[in-house]
Amino acid sequence: MSELRQPEADLQAPVQAQGPVEAQLFGAAGEAASPSSSSSPVAPSFSAYAESLPQEALTVLKSDLVAFLLLKYCTKEPISKAEMLNMVLRDHRDHFPVVFSRASKCMQLVFGVDVKEVDPRECTYVLVPTLGLTCDAALSDGQSMPKAGLLVLILCQVALYGDHAPEEEVWELLSIIGVYAGKQHRVYGEPRELLTKVWVQEAYLEYRQAPHCDTARYEFLWGPRAYAETSKGQVLEHLLSVNTLGPTSAEGVSDEEEGA
């Protein structure tokens, strides 16, 4: 679990760098945000819970719960509130609503995994890929961490840019969350290889030289597998749902990624 807290530094996002597209993609994960209807039930108020524990303690609890959820995702097992309380939050049961909310947002935004309730009476949940993307289908026994959160981000940007996003704009966007070409990342590995080789070979993305340019410039497009597994309508609907989670704040995203 301590290992999973390390990407915190890699994923910090400077607020000042936000532009229009970045604001649309990252503006929704404020600290007081409640989970989306597809991921978890809404608690009456999280502020009272949050105030009773220091932020550092809440971050540690969220990180531990994210680690537990990732283990369950890799083993393809459902999870219950009782398990989360007994295994992670035994001494902090009253803080379950706020910790679960933050952990669910982190799972969705960083790893591309949705926490969906399947039995409200028993408080049972399943962990499923965001937008149905199967790029992490081969994960098992914690051998790697899900990377679909980054793919969702890029697909959103391509859709917002009118079906093709200039490479420089993609890297500018990713720099906001501490992802840089050529720099190893604890969650996503080497991003340039992931974007221009792995996901191109898996047909999620196309990476080509932009036409009608005097200089050699490249751009990203959706690949055929992305069209097969999701749609631009679903991607934009997902983007809208993320933006309804809370107040517009890039700080919220970087905080939600702490400890992932």
Side-chain angles (χ1 to χ4, degrees), residues 202-239:
E202 293 179 355
Y204 280 112
L205 295 174
E206 289 186 14
Y207 178 65
R208 71 180 190 187
Q209 186 170 343
H212 314 301
C213 288
D214 296 333
T215 58
R217 300 176 64 184
Y218 288 82
E219 61 185 10
F220 288 97
L221 297 84
W222 281 35
R225 188 172 173 184
Y227 282 107
E229 293 185 357
T230 187
S231 68
K232 291 177 183 176
Q234 288 176 300
V235 163
L236 295 176
E237 184 178 350
H238 166 77
L239 184 59

Side-chain angles (χ1 to χ4, degrees), residues 93-222:
R93 293 173 178 267
D94 291 343
H95 296 87
F96 176 80
V98 67
V99 175
F100 181 61
S101 171
R102 296 182 184 189
S104 297
K105 285 187 293 179
C106 182
M107 290 293 290
Q108 183 184 67
L109 297 175
V110 181
F111 299 105
V113 176
D114 290 340
V115 184
K116 292 191 174 183
E117 187 175 51
V118 291
D119 188 339
R121 187 171 61 180
E122 297 294 331
C123 294
T124 304
Y125 305 86
V126 292
L127 303 162
V128 297
T130 299
L131 298 175
L133 299 171
T134 62
C135 57
D136 295 319
L139 293 179
S140 62
D141 301 325
Q143 294 175 355
S144 180
M145 284 188 276
K147 300 176 176 62
L150 189 65
L151 179 58
V152 170
L153 181 62
I154 296 167
L155 293 177
C156 285
Q157 190 183 29
V158 172
L160 289 173
Y161 267 84
D163 299 339
H164 49 87
E167 180 180 18
E168 60 270 22
E169 297 291 340
V170 170
W171 291 116
E172 181 179 349
L173 172 65
L174 298 186
S175 70
I176 295 175
I177 56 170
V179 176
Y180 302 95
K183 181 179 178 180
Q184 191 74 14
H185 192 277
R186 285 186 176 272
V187 175
Y188 306 126
E190 204 293 287
R192 179 177 289 280
E193 181 178 359
L194 184 62
L195 269 64
T196 64
K197 293 183 180 179
V198 176
W199 283 339
V200 169
Q201 291 173 356
E202 293 179 355
Y204 280 112
L205 295 174
E206 289 186 14
Y207 178 65
R208 71 180 190 187
Q209 186 170 343
H212 314 301
C213 288
D214 296 333
T215 58
R217 300 176 64 184
Y218 288 82
E219 61 185 10
F220 288 97
L221 297 84
W222 281 35

